[in-house]
Amino acid sequence: MRVGIYGGTFSPVHNGHVAAARAFMEQMWLDILYVIPTGVTPHKDMKGDATASDRLEMCRLAFGGMEGVIVSDLEMRREGKSYTVDTLRELYDPDGRLFLLMGTDMLLTLDTWREPEEIFRLCYPVYMRREGPDPILDARIVAKISEYQQNYGKVVRRI
């Protein structure tokens, strides 16, 4: 089973999120995609954003018609901050493959997240560029991906 995980605040969810989910499913040949709105994010201040239940409902409306997509409240049910490594542990199946979708900003800081070694052990990172062409950013991405492959033995894929 090829399982994708697409997390984020989704505050608000928009057409770009839906397009990213479709591209992720198609290009990684996913059987299932979990869309998981973050409960309490360690990366972003959520003051003034929509409530957790509103964000969950927005995701259900936006992704509800997509075959193979499961909108999950997994992280919202957890107390405290939502850490990706905990979500990966809950969804990990040794007989399957987990793919984790992120933006460029998260890709560049993935090694600073909680338990990066475990994240790389449990999943295959996948990133999507939201930014336009930028030679300096391109060089940072290439260097970081090379570092991840050397340090963690995983190839980071791009969609």
Side-chain angles (χ1 to χ4, degrees):
M1 199 71 140
R2 295 171 67 90
V3 177
I5 300 171
Y6 185 18
T9 57
F10 299 108
S11 187
V13 68
H14 52 72
N15 290 336
H17 291 125
V18 175
R22 283 197 177 104
F24 188 31
M25 289 191 77
E26 290 171 10
Q27 293 181 37
M28 294 297 115
W29 298 79
L30 300 177
D31 298 299
I32 295 171
L33 172 61
Y34 285 95
V35 173
I36 307 175
T38 303
V40 179
T41 178
H43 302 291
K44 183 178 174 185
D45 181 10
M46 297 287 293
K47 288 180 184 169
D49 282 5
T51 66
S53 60
D54 286 344
R55 292 183 294 112
L56 182 64
E57 186 57 29
M58 284 189 283
C59 285
R60 286 184 174 141
L61 291 170
F63 297 102
M66 293 177 62
E67 187 176 336
V69 173
I70 298 169
V71 176
S72 172
D73 65 352
L74 178 80
E75 291 191 359
M76 292 181 173
R77 286 184 273 123
R78 253 190 237 131
E79 290 190 24
K81 291 184 178 180
S82 298
Y83 291 104
T84 299
V85 70
D86 297 329
T87 301
L88 292 171
R89 283 185 181 119
E90 286 190 52
L91 297 174
Y92 181 75
D93 176 353
D95 295 327
R97 287 190 175 189
L98 284 178
F99 297 85
L100 176 66
L101 181 61
M102 66 193 75
T104 309
D105 52 343
M106 295 292 108
L107 170 73
L108 293 172
T109 62
L110 185 56
D111 55 341
T112 67
W113 293 12
R114 177 175 277 195
E115 299 183 54
E117 304 85 9
E118 185 73 351
I119 291 172
F120 279 94
R121 185 184 74 76
L122 294 170
C123 76
Y124 295 88
V126 178
Y127 78 100
M128 182 173 223
R129 285 284 296 260
R130 295 178 289 216
E131 310 82 10
D134 179 346
I136 294 170
L137 182 59
D138 293 344
R140 287 182 58 212
I141 291 169
V142 168
K144 192 54 95 166
I145 288 173
S146 177
E147 178 185 323
Y148 291 159
Q149 187 169 7
Q150 182 177 348
N151 293 345
Y152 305 109
K154 285 277 177 85
V155 173
V156 177
R157 292 162 170 85
R158 177 181 174 180
I159 58 168

